[in-house]
Amino acid sequence: MMNTRKPLSELAKTIRSKNAGTDKITFDVIFRERDTYELVKRSKALTPRSVCEILNIDESRLTDFVEYDPAYAIKFTILRLRPSGSAGDADIFGAQQYAPFLDVEVDMTA
């Protein structure tokens, strides 16, 4: 049987996270071509609900979720538990939060 799933890291040109102010972290998943972007959208591998499940956060922390067609990008933003740089913040720049998305499985038959 042929594997019809691929990890998001093989499909996206860029998967990143970064600060979006002191209280938010934003994520970008950007694709090289429209066909791959549209396939990932159809697959529903990244939805507001799945993003929260992947990050193991309550849906109330998701402030934005946008499928931005002109850039072939899926962008979303979450609220931090504590302000950037405050005591106990292990990722001041928010740049290490994207890792759980690398292995997200995308159904290539979508």
Side-chain angles (χ1 to χ4, degrees):
M1 181 178 227
M2 187 177 198
N3 186 1
T4 61
R5 301 179 77 73
K6 281 193 174 183
L8 189 59
S9 60
E10 288 185 20
L11 301 171
K13 171 177 78 169
T14 303
I15 302 173
R16 66 183 176 203
S17 60
K18 58 187 175 184
N19 277 345
T22 58
D23 296 329
K24 294 180 181 179
I25 297 173
T26 193
F27 297 78
D28 302 311
V29 181
I30 305 168
F31 301 89
R32 284 185 176 83
E33 60 280 317
R34 175 177 293 279
D35 289 346
T36 304
Y37 165 69
E38 293 292 342
L39 181 137
V40 173
K41 282 188 353 181
R42 281 193 310 275
S43 78
K44 302 293 186 193
L46 294 177
T47 64
R49 173 170 277 150
S50 73
V51 162
C52 292
E53 289 173 359
I54 291 163
L55 292 171
N56 195 28
I57 64 170
D58 188 88
E59 289 185 41
S60 65
R61 288 184 53 201
L62 183 69
T63 64
D64 298 285
F65 183 93
V66 176
E67 293 170 334
Y68 189 62
D69 295 345
Y72 311 146
I74 300 172
K75 304 166 79 58
F76 43 95
T77 304
I78 64 168
L79 292 170
R80 286 176 166 270
L81 289 175
R82 59 187 58 83
S84 175
S86 64
D89 180 16
D91 186 9
I92 293 172
F93 299 111
Q96 299 175 35
Q97 304 306 308
Y98 68 91
F101 295 96
L102 297 174
D103 295 326
V104 168
E105 293 281 319
V106 177
D107 182 354
M108 299 301 291
T109 63

